[in-house]
Amino acid sequence: MLGTPYERRTIDLGTDDEGQVVATLVRRRADRPTGRAVLYVHGFVDYFFQTHVADFFAERGWDFYALDLRKYGRSLLAHQTPNFCRDLSDYFPELDAAAEIIRAEEGHDTLLAMGHSTGGLIVSLWAHDRRDAGLVDGIVLNSPFFDINAPWMVRRPLAAAVSRLGRRAPQRVLPFGLGTVYGESLHADHRGEWRYDLAWKPLAGFPVRAGWLNAIRAGQRRLRAGLDIPVPVLLACSTRSFRGTKWHDSATGADAVLDVEHMVRWAPRLGRHVTLARFDGGLHDLTLSSPGVREKVFTEVGRWAEGFLRAGPTEPVPTTPPAPRRPADATAEG
C-alpha cells in the first residue's frame, strides 16, 4: 500500500474460532542503520499509516517496524470480526514474533516499543509479562488506554455488569460507540489533514462488543494493580480532553477519545522508571496533532531516547560524509 521504501511481511498465527489468523509487519529501513529499531503498535479502530513517524526515526538511523495486529488493517480477513479479541494476551504471539524477527533475524541490538491508545495498554502488559526475556529496551506510550472515558458509575459498576455479559455472549454488540468527532478532526475529507483507509479506520469506528470490553477491563485492572516493567517508559498525552459528542472547534486541540487524567493517574503503576510528558493542543494520537504540537512531541521523544537509551543523536543522520578537515583545523584543536 505505502510503496517504496516500505515492505510488508505476513505472520501466520494459525486459527481461532473464526478461522485463519494473521498479523502484518510493515518495515521501513533506515538509509544508514545504527542497529536500533522501533516496533510501533496501533490503537483500536486503527492501523499503521503514520509514515511521518517512520520517517522521523529512519532519518535518525532507526529501522522502523509497525505491526497491524490480528483483525486490524492489513491483517483483517473477510471472515473475521473487525478488531475483536477475547483477551489482550491474544496479541502477544504477534508481538513475540515481531520481536524475534527484529532481534534474532535482523540483528538489532536496541528495540524501542511504541504503543498508541489500546496498543499502549497491550504493549505495557506484554512488556510486563516478558520482562525477564529482555525483548525491549524502552517503551513510548502515546495516549494509552488505561481507563474507560466515562463517569465512575459507568466505568465501574455498569462496565463490570457488561463484562459479565462479555463472558457469556462475547459477540454481543453494545449500544454505544466512539462517535465521529475524533475521526472528523483527523481525516482530510472532513476537518483534518490526514488521508487513510476509512474501511479500516471508519469515522464512527466498528461496533463495540461485550467480549472486547471484558478483555479491555481485565487488562486495565491488571495495569491499575501495578506492573513491573523493568525498562524506561515515556508516557505522552495531551493536557486536556474533549468530552462533547458533536463537533466543536476545541476538538482540534484536545484528546477527543480518552480522559488524559486517567493516563496521568495510572502512569506510576507501570514500573519504577516512568517519565510523563504532556502537550498542550495534542490530539488523541499525538503524532497526528497540528504541525507545531507534533514537532514538540518528536523533539521530546528524541531527547528521551537519547537520554535513557543512549540512542543519540536526535538530529537526522547525515546523508553524506563530512568533508575532510584541513591540517590547520587539526592543529588548532590539538
Side-chain angles (χ1 to χ4, degrees), residues 104-304:
E105 290 189 23
E106 305 198 351
H108 295 87
D109 53 34
T110 300
L111 178 57
L112 171 65
M114 188 173 186
H116 167 56
S117 196
T118 304
L121 177 60
I122 294 167
V123 165
S124 298
L125 297 172
W126 174 69
H128 168 80
D129 283 1
R130 303 292 190 265
R131 59 190 179 277
D132 295 329
L135 298 181
V136 298
D137 300 285
I139 297 173
V140 172
L141 302 177
N142 172 3
S143 305
F145 187 13
F146 285 171
D147 212 338
I148 296 169
N149 186 11
W152 182 86
M153 283 295 294
V154 175
R155 71 177 188 268
R156 292 295 183 268
L158 181 58
V162 173
S163 291
R164 289 192 292 272
L165 172 65
R167 293 190 286 273
R168 299 193 307 271
Q171 291 283 1
R172 179 75 62 86
V173 174
L174 301 177
F176 54 80
L178 299 181
T180 62
V181 171
Y182 180 55
E184 290 180 48
S185 74
L186 296 183
H187 203 277
D189 288 347
H190 297 270
R191 306 169 194 271
E193 63 173 295
W194 307 100
R195 293 205 173 274
Y196 49 83
D197 192 331
L198 291 172
W200 290 345
K201 187 177 173 64
L203 288 186
F206 294 109
V208 175
R209 298 176 185 269
W212 177 86
L213 182 61
N214 181 54
I216 292 295
R217 288 195 72 251
Q220 290 175 341
R221 287 197 303 271
R222 286 192 63 203
L223 177 281
R224 295 194 298 267
L227 303 180
D228 184 20
I229 298 175
V231 298
V233 179
L234 171 64
L235 190 153
C237 63
S238 184
T239 57
R240 58 187 181 274
S241 295
F242 173 84
R243 290 180 170 78
T245 58
K246 296 183 179 180
W247 179 259
H248 189 278
D249 287 345
S250 60
T252 61
D255 189 323
V257 178
L258 298 180
D259 187 333
V260 294
E261 299 308 323
H262 292 161
M263 306 171 200
V264 174
R265 178 181 181 183
W266 300 114
R269 302 297 177 92
L270 291 162
R272 290 160 286 179
H273 195 148
V274 181
T275 302
L276 175 65
R278 305 186 69 174
F279 298 91
D280 189 33
L283 297 184
H284 177 55
D285 185 342
L286 293 168
T287 70
L288 302 181
S289 304
S290 62
V293 175
R294 64 179 182 259
E295 180 180 355
K296 292 177 182 177
V297 172
F298 286 131
T299 297
E300 188 64 28
V301 170
R303 290 174 53 203
W304 177 87

Side-chain angles (χ1 to χ4, degrees), residues 2 6-9 23-28 38-42 47-50 54 63-69 74 98 102 114:
L2 299 176
Y6 291 89
E7 304 165 285
R8 60 185 289 177
R9 174 171 174 172
T24 309
L25 191 63
V26 177
R27 179 176 66 188
R28 194 253 201 252
V38 176
L39 176 60
Y40 175 89
V41 181
H42 57 77
Y47 71 102
F48 173 69
F49 65 91
Q50 299 89 338
D63 286 340
F64 185 89
Y65 300 78
L67 189 62
D68 277 13
L69 299 168
R74 300 166 182 83
I102 295 168
M114 188 173 186

